[in-house]
Every structure is written in C-alpha cells, then in structure tokens.
Amino acid sequence: MLAYVIRRLLYALPILLGVNLFTFVLFFGVNSPDDIARMQLGAKYASPAAIERWKAERGYDKPMFFNPDRAGLAKLTDTLFVDKSLRMFTFEFGRSDDGRDIAREIRDRVGPSFAIALPTFALGLFAAITCALLLVFFRATALDFWGVVICVAMMSISSLFYIIGGQWLVAKLWMLAPISGYAGGLDMTRFLSLPVLLGVVAGLGSGTRWYRTIFLEEISRDYVRTARAKGLSELAVLFRHVLKNAMIPVLTTVVVTIPSLFLGSLLMESFFAVPGLGSYTIDAIRSQDFAVVRAMVFIGSVLYIAALILTDLSYTAVDPRVRLG
Amino acid sequence: MSIQPVLLPTDLLVFVLVLCAAALAIHARRQPPLREAWLRVGEHPAAMAAASILLVFALIGLLDSLHYRPQLPPGKDAAAKTVYSSEVSSALDALLAPLRAQTEKTYSAPFARRLFQRETMETPDGGQTRGFPRLQYGARHLQDGDSLPADVAMRLAWTPFAALAVSGCALLALALAVARGRACRPGEAIRLILAGRTALAWRPALIVLFAAALLAAAVAALGPHYHMLGTDKVGQDVLYLSLKSIRTGLVIGTLTTLIMLPFAAALGIAAGYLGGWVDDLIQYVYTVLNSIPSVLLIAASVLMMQVMIDTHPQWFDTAAQRSDARLLALCAILGITSWTNLCRLLRGETLKLRELDYVQAARAFGASTPVILRRHILPNVMHIVLITVVMDFSGLVLAEAVLSYVGIGVDPTTISFGSMINMARAELAREPAVWWSLVSAFVFMLLLVLAANLLADAVRDAFDPRLRRNR
C-alpha cells in the first residue's frame, strides 16, 4: 500500500513538471513580459523606462531559460523559469501584483473552499445515487420515464440559473438563508447551507441519469438473478448486491467529475462571496493578476492529481479483489 | 443601396461546417449502415422534434452569419466614391431592423407602455412631476385609453392562418414524398403523417414547424410596435438580444469541435495504432493537459489571448473583426481543453481494432500504414467521433454562459447568453425585480440545450454498437 502511494506520487512528478512547463510557456512565451507590462501600464504610460521598472519591481527582468551574465550554476538558476515556475514545487508563489504573498493567501483560503466543495461533493454523490436507485427500483414504469425526462431537463439548465434563481427565491423571497457572506465556526453552516444545496441540485440531473445507467447495466448480471432466485426482496438485492458491485464504475465516474468541482466552487464562491480559492481566482482573472492565475493553475493540478490518487486508493475499500502494491 | 459583403473568419468556418454537414449527409445516404442508423434516429419522435428545433436555431444562426457593411448615405459631394459604414451588420439584423433600431432609454417590461424607472417630466402647464414616461417606441401608437390586449389580439389575428398555411404547404410536400415512397395516394399519406404512423416521425417535426411559423409571424406582427420581451439596461430590445445570442452559442458549440476534431482524431488514432514512443508522448501530453482543471486552463489561455489582442490593435480594422477573432480564439482554447477526452477514447478503440483480423489481413497484404489508418481504422471509429461531437455540443453552449460570467468568455461587445445573464443578474435585487432578460435567456438556452441533449441521446442510441446489443 505504502509502496503504491509512493510510486503514484513519483508518477505525478513528471506530470506536474509538464504542467509547470506548459504554464510557463503559456504565460511567458505567448506574450513577452514586455507585452504584459505594456498592457498593465496602459498604452499611454508605457515608456521603455516604465516597462523596465515594472519588470524589475516584479522580478520579470531576467532571461527566460539561460542567464549568460551569471557564473556557474547560476547561469541556469537565475532565470525566469526557475524563479517563477520551478519554485512553485516548493509552494513558494511569490507576490501577487498588488504585493501580497500568494502562498499565504492560498493557505487562508483553502479552508472555506473545502468547506463548500467537500459537502457539495459528498451530498451530491449521495443524492444522485439515491435518486438513481429509486429510478432503478421503479424501472420501466411511468415514474422512471418521467424521472429521466426531468433529469434531462435539469441537465439542460445552466448552473448560473440554479444559483441566481435559488439565491433569489430562498434568500431574497423566503429569507431562509443569508444572501451571501461567510463566517467561521458554527455560523458557517448558516452561510454554506444554500450554496451547498444549490450545488447539489445543479449536479443532480446529470448524476442521477449517469448512475441510473450504471445500475441498470449491473442489474442485468447473473448474480442479481441468483439473488432474486434465492428469494431476496428487490430492496435487498438493490442495496446489498447491486449498490456494492456498482461502486467500481461509480468511483470511475467520480474521477471524471472531480474537475467540475473547481468550476462549481468558482461560481459558488463568487456568487456567495465566500473568501475561498475560487473567488480568489475570479478576482485575479478580473484584475488580470497573472501571478495569481499561474499559481492557481499549479495548485489546481496538484489538488486534482491528489484527488485521483485518493480515488484509486478507495478502490481497495470497495473491492477486496483490488490489491495495490 | 449597395452593400459590401464581409466574411468574418467564423462565418467562413460556419460555411465550411455547413458544407461538411452536407457532404456527410450525401455520404450517409450512400452507405447502407449509416443510412440505417440515421433512420433509427428519425424514428424517435423526440429526436425529430429536437432536430427541427435545432434546424430553426441553425437557420437563425446562418442568417446572422451573412455579414455585410451597409453603404452610408452619400454626402453633399455626389461624385465622391461610396463609403461603407464601419459597423458590420448581418442579414438577421436587416430582418429585425425595427427591433434593432428602436432602443429606449433604459429598462421596460415586456409589452410595457411606460418606462420602468421614474423620471422627471414636464407637465403641459410648465411644472415638473416625477412619473413613468411613455416609451419612445414601444406601444407608442396607443392612446392612453386604448386597450393593449385588444390591440395585440387584433394584430395577431392573421398569424395562425399564416402559420397554418406554411405548415400546410410543408405537409403537402411531405405527403407527396411519402406517397411516392409507399406507393399510396397522397390523401392516404396525409392521414398517415397526421396519425403519426410514418416510419420517420414527421408529425413532431410539423408541430415544431407550426410553432416556429407562429412565433415568427407574431414577431413580424408585434415586433415593430411593442418590446415583446422588454428592454435591457441601455434600452435594447431583449428579443433582439436573445436572437443574436443564438449565433454565438451555435458557433461555440460547433466550431470548437470542428477545430479540435482533426487533431484529436489524428493523435488518438496514431497513439493507438503506432504504439511505442509515439503513444507514450501523446499520452503524456494529454495527461498533462488533463491534470489542469479545465476552467483554470481556459482562464489562463484567455487572459493570454486578451493580452495579445490588446497589444496588437493594428490587426483588426473594425470592432466586429476584433470580437470575432476573440470568439474564434475562445473556440480554439475550448478545443485545446476538450480534445483530450476524444483522443483517449479513440486511442482505446484503435488499440482494440489494431488486433482484429481484418486489420492484420490488410497489413499482411502490404497496405501502408497511412492507408490502413485512413481506410480501415478511421471509418470504424467514426461513430465515437460523431457521438462525442453531439454530446459535447450542449456542454459547450452551457460553458459559454459560465465563462462569460467569469469574465473569460466572449468579447463584451459580442451578444451572447452569458453576457445577457451577466448584465441581468444584478437586477433581480431591484424592487420590483427586472426578470425579463434572465427569463428570456433562460428560455432560449433551455430550448437550445434541451433539443441538443435529446438529439444527442438519440444519436448515441443509434450509433453506439454497445448500446444496440443491450437492447
């Protein structure tokens, strides 16, 4: 087990290195630092001197990969690539354009982000699987048919409408929850209940439909017929046999949905003014703070790869046949 | 008045896409298995209705892709050469000219006579009062005592007949075609179609046509006299904005796949068939791209594209060209982030096909690798390509709205569902709420995406051999 985890972590390294190189090329190759400085300063004020000053203040005044002015190893290390990109592996992200320490901001904001993303994820999975089992239980009836129709309709509604509509209805008209905001401690549940609820509802349609297909595939297997033949009730078959055996394809699906968590938290945090990583990213995008966006791309990939490894580990929990080693 | 046609890059690609679709349709007619699969799609009533709705949307989008620059009215000097407006219009703009031109001061509700906001007005005796002024264009022909519903009903009186006439003509044409195919009398064919007993589900298609004709007639009857869906913050007609948004959504949904398709197909098949270091390299590239959460990758790329466009203003003559370039770049960026999925699927399928007897036989006969890939592998993975294309479409339309909200979507001057939602969202907090922009965007988007989802399901059911076996 431990050997497996270590091996997976080692596999992740070249991928993270690729991400790192890719973002570096994207942020420094497509537009030179001069271009970025010119745009940040505005065309009117972008004299060559001002551009140089802007670059020097932010440490952009080095060569990209090779610094001929230095001696020895510093020829390679005193460059933009090492300074701005490779250094992210040690979680040093430098300063944002408004001078704050990015790593510190990220540390402060990880908590609220997880507080909103994890319940949304867990409850969403639970709700979708419950609805899917319900539809499978009533398969080939009117309930199943209309359930699928509703699922397709729910899939076709942009998540923006769920958020805007929910915020307007629940928070403004019914006044059941605060419209937006965030607080630590016990107050957190008051502020987070609505965004979590909306996140669950927004993902319910596609999730239910997808898990329904998985369960339906599973229910036509031989072992299910055997279970019924020995006289088990349909409920016992569904919960004791089908659900357990479907966990592997379900977990595989979960991997696919992890990236959408990022988008979800981006929207939720910005609509509900939660001080998490998502709203940080949106603010950075709107103020064109490239250092922050670059750091977020890296952090996002790290989190995604970590989530992948965790799901792989969870295979052992649901299927005793799977041995990792 | 003469016009100067303008071909924006996305227009060009849209027409290329239409040509591709036409070529594919001709190809599918000739190939019995493809023909059979498409006929299976057509048997689905929901799929036929969805396809008809999408056709209506596509027609609007195509009209909106015929761009031109109108001639400016000649100045005093008649000998001067003709000058064209720097503003690019489209055929749809010309059709909706009254809707486009009749802008109010600010918000007004659907079918309103008066502005949504109070203003200081002059009274006839010279004093000033606060009140809701009459709209400049909306319902201006009505006197204060006139009944609005009566006027609307009167103007709508002819529309059902027009819609009936249009769908009646379509029914006749269809009946003739069906009658020829079944060797029965046209009257019999009409009865079959209306009873919904034809092989292809024509009845839902006709119902959609009737509804579309009715709506078009209603817009023609009421559009110039009322703001049917109200006006937005700067007084633009919301109906006009909604119709213009359709093209943006369609372009993003289709061109993204068109751009990424050749790369995904070539790389996926090459990785699966060639194996070895090619496979390793391609797998590494898509694993890396896949590990970046797509919204962050899109954000980073769009920001970089913005810098590029901002620092090179000399590339674009008109504002329309700039926003069009941005739209195209957004499609390319979305393509870069979404090709990995298709590439992975194609690689897996090619791995399976490579070991099959017929490919081995082709290799034994000495067929070269490019020939095997083109003639033996590619046609047999096309169903995956097709299914991915139709399944991705609705997701891309939805993604556009979200990205525009986040600020990394289309150019702010491009009318799109995302920008409509973005403008309207803050106004729900007003008392009373300004709901019409949001509701219009919601309805139009729901129709488009729901139709796309339904059609995608039918296409997947018809083309996926795995699902067919299960049935």
Side-chain angles (χ1 to χ4, degrees), chain A residues 280-296:
Chain A
Y280 190 46
T281 315
I282 289 209
D283 292 345
I285 290 171
R286 295 207 166 136
S287 63
Q288 304 207 314
D289 194 327
F290 300 111
V292 175
V293 176
R294 215 171 53 229
M296 287 310 301

Side-chain angles (χ1 to χ4, degrees), chain B residues 211-231:
Chain B
L214 195 64
L215 286 177
V219 171
L222 296 177
H225 308 288
Y226 294 97
H227 295 295
M228 296 170 70
L229 299 178
T231 53

Side-chain angles (χ1 to χ4, degrees), chain A residues 14 31 156 209 270 286 288, chain B residues 284 304 306 405 428 453 457:
Chain A
N31 298 290
S156 308
R209 210 171 75 116
S270 106
R286 295 207 166 136
Q288 304 207 314
Chain B
Y284 177 70
M304 285 301 122
Q306 271 174 359
Y405 165 74
L428 269 187
N453 274 334
D457 280 355

Side-chain angles (χ1 to χ4, degrees), chain B residues 149-161:
Chain B
D151 183 65
V152 168
M154 196 193 73
R155 286 178 191 278
L156 282 180
W158 61 272
T159 53
F161 301 108

Side-chain angles (χ1 to χ4, degrees), chain B residues 32-297:
Chain B
L34 283 179
R35 203 184 141 98
E36 194 201 333
W38 279 114
L39 287 179
R40 265 203 304 276
V41 175
E43 286 165 9
H44 252 282
M48 270 304 243
S52 317
I53 293 175
L54 285 179
L55 267 182
V56 173
F57 276 105
L59 189 70
I60 296 173
L62 275 180
L63 279 177
D64 206 7
S65 296
L66 297 166
H67 284 106
Y68 66 90
R69 284 158 75 169
Q71 187 187 351
L72 287 179
K76 288 177 191 120
D77 185 7
K81 70 181 174 88
T82 49
V83 183
Y84 295 102
S85 161
S86 68
E87 196 179 1
V88 177
S89 307
S90 74
L92 188 74
D93 291 333
L95 279 180
L96 300 175
L99 269 70
R100 187 191 192 194
Q102 298 178 357
T103 57
E104 307 291 345
K105 225 180 228 165
T106 180
Y107 294 111
S108 67
F111 288 104
R113 297 183 200 205
R114 294 177 179 280
L115 212 58
F116 186 71
Q117 279 174 341
R118 271 176 215 278
E119 273 188 1
T120 308
M121 294 184 298
E122 303 249 322
T123 48
D125 52 11
Q128 287 188 332
T129 71
R130 295 277 295 168
F132 301 101
R134 282 291 294 258
L135 291 180
Q136 218 172 336
Y137 297 100
R140 78 174 146 176
H141 57 284
L142 291 184
Q143 302 300 318
D144 275 341
D146 287 353
S147 156
L148 191 140
D151 183 65
V152 168
M154 196 193 73
R155 286 178 191 278
L156 282 180
W158 61 272
T159 53
F161 301 108
L164 269 181
V166 171
S167 39
C169 287
L171 175 65
L172 272 183
L174 259 180
L176 286 177
V178 170
R180 223 181 57 178
R182 295 192 157 218
C184 63
R185 287 203 322 278
E188 177 70 19
I190 290 182
R191 208 170 313 127
L192 281 177
I193 293 174
L194 290 184
R197 294 202 351 246
T198 43
L200 293 177
W202 289 117
R203 192 170 57 168
L206 281 173
I207 294 175
V208 169
L209 178 71
F210 177 75
L214 195 64
L215 286 177
V219 171
L222 296 177
H225 308 288
Y226 294 97
H227 295 295
M228 296 170 70
L229 299 178
T231 53
D232 75 350
K233 188 169 187 170
V234 288
Q236 282 176 298
D237 192 288
V238 172
L239 178 64
Y240 172 73
L241 294 180
S242 308
L243 289 172
K244 290 287 279 186
S245 301
I246 291 173
R247 176 177 187 266
T248 317
L250 288 178
V251 162
I252 289 191
T254 53
L255 290 195
T256 299
T257 7
L258 184 75
I259 292 173
M260 67 107 170
L261 204 55
F263 301 100
L267 291 178
I269 292 174
Y273 187 79
L274 299 176
W277 65 269
V278 180
D279 189 18
D280 289 341
L281 182 71
I282 293 173
Q283 273 202 69
Y284 177 70
V285 170
Y286 75 60
T287 317
V288 165
L289 282 181
N290 227 1
S291 325
I292 308 174
S294 57
V295 62
L296 293 175
L297 182 56

